[in-house]
Amino acid sequence: MLFLDSKSNQITFSFHQSLVFRQQSSLTSFNQRTLKRKSSRTARSEEDRDTLWDAWGSWSECSRTCGGGASYSLRRCLSSKTCEGQNIKYRTCSNVDCPADAGDFRAQQCSAHADVRYQGQYHEWLPVYNDPENPCALKCKAKGSGLVVELAPKVLDGTRCYTESLDMCISGICQIVGCDHELGSTAKEDNCGVCNGDGSSCRLVRGHYKSQHASGKTEDTVVVIPYKSRHVRLVLKGPDHLYVESKTLQGAKGELVLDSSGQYHLENTTLDYQKLSDKEVLRITGPLGADFTFASGADSVVQYIYYQPIIHRWRETDFFPCSVTCGGGYQLTSTECFDLRSGRVVVDQYCHYYPENVKPKPKLQECNMEPCLASDGYKQIMPYDLYHPLPRWESSPWTACSMSCGGGIQSRSVSCVEEDMQGIITPTEEWKCLYAPKTSILQPCNTFDCPTWLAQEWSPCTVTCGQGLRYRVVLCIDHRGLHAGGCNPTTKPHIKEECLVTVPCYKSIVEAKPMWHKQAIELEDEHAVTEEPSFIPGPWQPCSRTCGAGTQQRTVKCQVLLSFSQTVADLPDDECEGVKPATSQPCYRTPCSGVLGQGKESEKQGGEDHEEGGTPEREDLHDWEYEGFTECSESCGGGLQEAVVICLNKQTRDAADQSLCESSRRPPQLLQDCKTQPCPPRWETGEWSSCSATCGVGLMTRTVACTHRPSRDSNETEVLRDEDCQNPKPSPVQACNRFDCPPMWDTHDWGKCSQSCGGGGVQRRKVLCKQRLADGSILELPDTFCPSKTPANQQPCAQQECPPQWVTTSWSQCSVTCGNGIQRLQAVCRKEGEDGEQWTVDPKNCSLMARPTQTRPCSIRLCDKLSCVRRVYVQWRKSKKLQFVVGGYAYVLPWTTMVVRCPTRHFRKGHIRWLKDGKPLVSLPHLSITSFGYVKIQQVRASDAGIYTCVAGRAQEHFVLQVIGSKQKLSVPESWLQTGGQPKVVQPEVTSAAEGFQELPISLNQYDSIVELLLKFKGSVQDDKDTGDKAHSSEKNRSSLEGERASAELSSQPVVLVADTHRLDEITHNHSEGLRGARGEQIITQLLSELTMTQGETNESTLHPPESAESSTRGPLLYKLNTKSHTSGPRHPIIIQQPTKAGVVPLSEVVVEVGVPAFLQKPVSSLELRCEALGNAEPSLTWTKNGKELQYNSRVGLLSSGSLRIQSPSKVDEGLYTCTATNHLGSTSLSSWLQITVSEGECPERTTTRDTSEPRCPSSPSEHQKSPPLCFPSKSCLCRWQVDSWSTCSATCGGGSQSRRVRCMKGPVGRLREVESQYCVATGRRPSDNRLCNLLPCASWVTSPWGPCHGQCVGPSLATQHRHVYCQDTNNTKVPSRMCSGLPRPSSLKNCSTEACALSWRVGPWTQCTATCGRHGFQSRQVTCTHRRTGKAAREHHCMWRPRPPSWQRCNILSCGRGENNCRDSTRYCEKVQQLELCPLPQFKSRCCHSCRNT
């Protein structure tokens, strides 16, 4: 409580009352010292830094705990100058309603001053609301005295500016607050109380009430306004007062009598009542807290208006479960009628009551689109929906039109149906089809005009003078302009009338006897029908007797002319005035003679009188009349039509025989033009072709073209597009010969021959007896039904001679004598004879086919403590010292010091023995065997050439040494020569039986020719060019040279060329004819380019692959052919090689120049083999793989430059890729070997020392260089990462974490042990040991109460009932279903018991079988779904919980015998078969045996 001491002007605080305030000090009085105490600051934004403001501080505590308060945030100016902008900003808070007993906030502030003296007195202060001048000042009114005082210049923050507004006072200023409780927002509530709403959730109700009772009765109920209504206004005029009664949803009642002006409160609702002199006005802003009933006396009139909430609203449900569990289905939402008052789902009729309620259409979406697993094999249909695919609208045929013309209506029924997997269609609820618009159920029809009478022009008058007749044709014309029936005969215009020719006639009438005299007399006797009812007599009928006295009759009718419609109507006789004319009269023609002959004579005489001008009987009864026109002679372009004249019976108006009318009085012929419009394009059809089949179902075809004739007289027609003619287009095909064919043989195509050549091959085909039936189907029959001669089902083939082809024979010897090597599959060219035998022919005969190349690893035995390499070494430039390993060939320059080592394992170096040319090696002054077991030769000379053999126990290995002489020639020792000057190996003598060297297993001069050619081109080396290629060596033989130990001077040329023996063997094998000429030069050039790429590798270990060693030179060399041997102008192709190095490729996108081997140890996204060629003319590039044409696909393809790109290379892409450049002068090729290996740690072999410790896995290739391993790989030291299973997530929802153990393990499977992590670095990135899990927010499934039991019947007295299942978070807020996807979803469907499903199938009796024997008889019965107790029929889908009994079955499936007693008809249509003469056909004769027995 605030106390203000007027003397000291001090404010003290008292808390003895229960009101709590959070008074905010005036923010404008904050000085700089107060701002410095704000220590909670966030990082300054770029905007704040630019404007010299500090970051905004945290938000203050809300000024109110309920009802809407204000909170503020401050910021500090960091400059000594003035900062632009505000240092404070506000926001609303505590936007929740206060309890009912909390009271008004402004009233609380006024009552706080009750203990403070004002002008020496205490007052009870009441708030003053809605001050128009200063709504944010605290103005209060003293109770009792009416004194109004401003007790404070500002109300507390959060106080409403006005009672009917959300606007809020903040720091003494009224701030706009929208209905969304945001400062400065313009959002407003609609009349329904919905923020930013469109007013669709309520409806305006207005009316007035005046009692119908007599004066003095008790009060009447005026209106009942329901709960939650808003903006209520009632105006009462009269002597009575308003009476209010309330009733809550729980049934609590309250009442209120309004007799004086003021505010009233009832059920948390404020009522503003105003009593005026002539009326009473009640206003309630609302919403009402209960149902309010307003009553008044019987002598008053009440006007009311209010907005009533639509308490029953449509609510959209969640998506139902998917119709299938996999393979692609659908799911729908539904809508339900929801009662906002009770919070329950009610029947749809409640929502249909409000026209404003538009039922939302259900939404449909695809679901479970992933394919079904092979283990399932079927789609599991969800139990709530047994039908598939989508529901659809299905309509019945249109009914007949209600009118034949002039516009009518026809209707049809439209229902929502579903189709199950068996194709059975059943009706279902309409909401399932509302995703598509419902088809119309009404449509207009026969909108064309009704037929009308159309009168033609009058004919000329029948006479040339005086009075005569004229005629016209009257037609009934329909809406198409065609003469048709359907017109009202009573409204038909007359077809003849009198006419008068103004020329006088000079002949007597009797003599003239004009043609139409009779008709003129009849016209005189006719009585015209007038608009006044009058008797109209008809013509007299013939006399009842031909002679003597008789009578004749006529009809007399009372008729009137209707002027509006110009039609004649018959009336009762009493409607006409005057005497009705006689309907009969006596008649007399001729006297009767009484004798037959005389009678005839009289008749004859009478006939003569008739001709003389009497009025015969037939003239009175029959007369000529026009009856329409003939068809037009042309359909368009102008034609003629003639008026049709008929003899008409006047009484019956029926056509009679023309002999009954007088021919001389036949009306004249009338012609008229017709179809004068130009001919439109029309369809022109040709003659039908003959039938394509003589039986079964054939087709006849004809030409159909859209043509146009420019004019009527033109005989030429032009063909137009089909779109220019009206639809429908005549069919160009039609079925023909629709009757069963006799059985005949059907032969399939011949199959593949069992052999491709050489004779003796057989090819087979299927031969079946089939019959084509009249419906187009084909029936397969036993062979006995077809003619006896069966077509051949096999025939000889492949009689031509087989061409030679490559045949693989056996594997070659292993490439090594011990350890691991490779074998090649050998192939020979063979030809097969007619007898099937094969013989070997010249390989040139197979040159057109690719020679099969295939290799496999081989392992003969473990090398006995000897390590060898198969290499050829050629010394390229002088060096002080070279080191070699046994197992190869060495061509060295003279005066070079060299060492030949013999690597052994588990064998003492001092026990190694050496031989030369099969004899023990003798030490010389320049040649010695060291104690470490290797041979050292000081300054090699020609006599040192020979075959050196290292013997270690039972193991031995050879080394061939040759010396390069002057002019790059080989110096051959005298012992190698024989008479004739040809080099030859001299077999060594046997020195001891124990030695066992009968002959040397290694050739002395195997590679001399290639080495000599290499040395020949040595002078062509261009040191200043940097183009080349690394050695093309097999990955499976990765042994290498032990280089020089002493440091050599770096040079652009290699010291030693190192060649793989397999590469040289391949060159020798593929070019057995020799390496001379341009082709040989090209091969040697390419080989020399390959070998020079490995320059600088002079100190390799025997196991370390040379590909990973770093080159110590400045780059590769380019070798050119001798320019003297080539002329300028056109050049054959040359493939250009760019500087590159072979080796392990670490990049994700790799580019390798062709000619360089590529070894991929890690997955890469793409590999490009680049091939660039020059030539004149420009060469074309082709690629092969392993000698065969390369097959391109989506991964392997050519680039525009001709290079090859392989996407995501894998093991299947390994092989030898060759790029061939070709022009008209020749071709050249270059190859690259692609090998893909698993990136695992490799172990160094144990050295010769007896070290028993475990081998260590190197972590990187650099470790190889520090301690070089030997060439014996061991699988016992493979290093790999090993991971354990993930731990349980630390949280079930809202975000948790998991961890696992990651270790580096070494050794073979089954004997792994953990080592340090750096050993596994080379095998790949370390797997992660932690991860996030269960990131979805915490939510759970919530279910609604079960709905009524009226769903699909699923069993006897069992139906289904539904409930809604939705996902809800911890704040009871509905969230998307995916938030609960990890939790088991409660069922939204269950079975329930109901009498409505006491349904079952009821079957009727079988009908009589349609046949007495054979296989075509069937019978049917009625199957219905009925209620067990009432027997009332229901829709079939209600009984689908049980299989539907069959409604038809085959019967009398007995063989129809062929004896006389058993010959009978098995079908009821045999009479038609006999009439159509179908008995000769076997299929009809067998079924109509009795009827066809005599045919």
Side-chain angles (χ1 to χ4, degrees), residues 1-19:
M1 186 67 66
L2 294 172
F3 295 94
L4 178 61
D5 189 345
S6 59
K7 294 181 180 180
S8 61
N9 291 327
Q10 292 180 350
I11 296 177
T12 59
F13 291 86
S14 172
F15 299 96
H16 66 279
Q17 293 191 1
S18 61
L19 298 177

Side-chain angles (χ1 to χ4, degrees), residues 745 767 786-792:
W745 294 108
V767 178
C786 283
S788 57
K789 187 176 180 180
T790 305

Side-chain angles (χ1 to χ4, degrees), residues 313-459:
R313 303 294 303 275
W314 293 111
R315 185 175 72 175
E316 187 173 325
T317 66
D318 279 344
F319 279 99
F320 286 117
C322 192
S323 59
V324 296
T325 57
C326 60
Y330 68 92
Q331 56 185 159
L332 291 161
T333 62
S334 179
T335 50
E336 57 192 9
C337 188
F338 187 72
D339 189 340
L340 300 179
R341 293 166 58 122
S342 62
R344 295 181 180 179
V345 178
V346 295
V347 294
D348 290 357
Q349 284 78 358
Y350 286 101
C351 289
H352 288 307
Y353 175 76
Y354 301 97
E356 299 89 343
N357 260 349
V358 179
K359 188 174 183 179
K361 291 184 178 180
K363 297 177 182 176
L364 181 140
Q365 70 179 12
E366 294 177 332
C367 55
N368 292 348
M369 302 304 294
E370 64 275 2
C372 296
L373 298 178
S375 59
D376 291 346
Y378 64 93
K379 294 183 181 180
Q380 178 186 353
I381 307 300
M382 299 300 291
Y384 89 97
D385 187 359
L386 298 174
Y387 310 107
H388 199 76
L390 293 181
R392 66 178 185 273
W393 295 110
E394 191 164 280
S395 55
S396 63
W398 292 103
T399 60
C401 193
S402 60
M403 300 289 290
S404 61
C405 62
I409 293 178
Q410 56 184 165
S411 62
R412 64 179 177 182
S413 62
V414 178
S415 59
C416 181
V417 299
E418 288 182 308
E419 183 177 353
D420 63 9
M421 302 299 287
Q422 286 73 39
I424 300 175
I425 298 176
T426 55
T428 184
E429 297 87 348
E430 283 200 354
W431 64 264
K432 292 187 178 181
C433 292
L434 289 180
Y435 67 90
K438 186 176 182 179
T439 52
S440 59
I441 60 174
L442 294 176
Q443 73 173 9
C445 55
N446 294 348
T447 55
F448 49 84
D449 296 332
C450 292
T452 57
W453 294 109
L454 179 65
Q456 305 294 310
E457 295 293 328
W458 287 105
S459 69

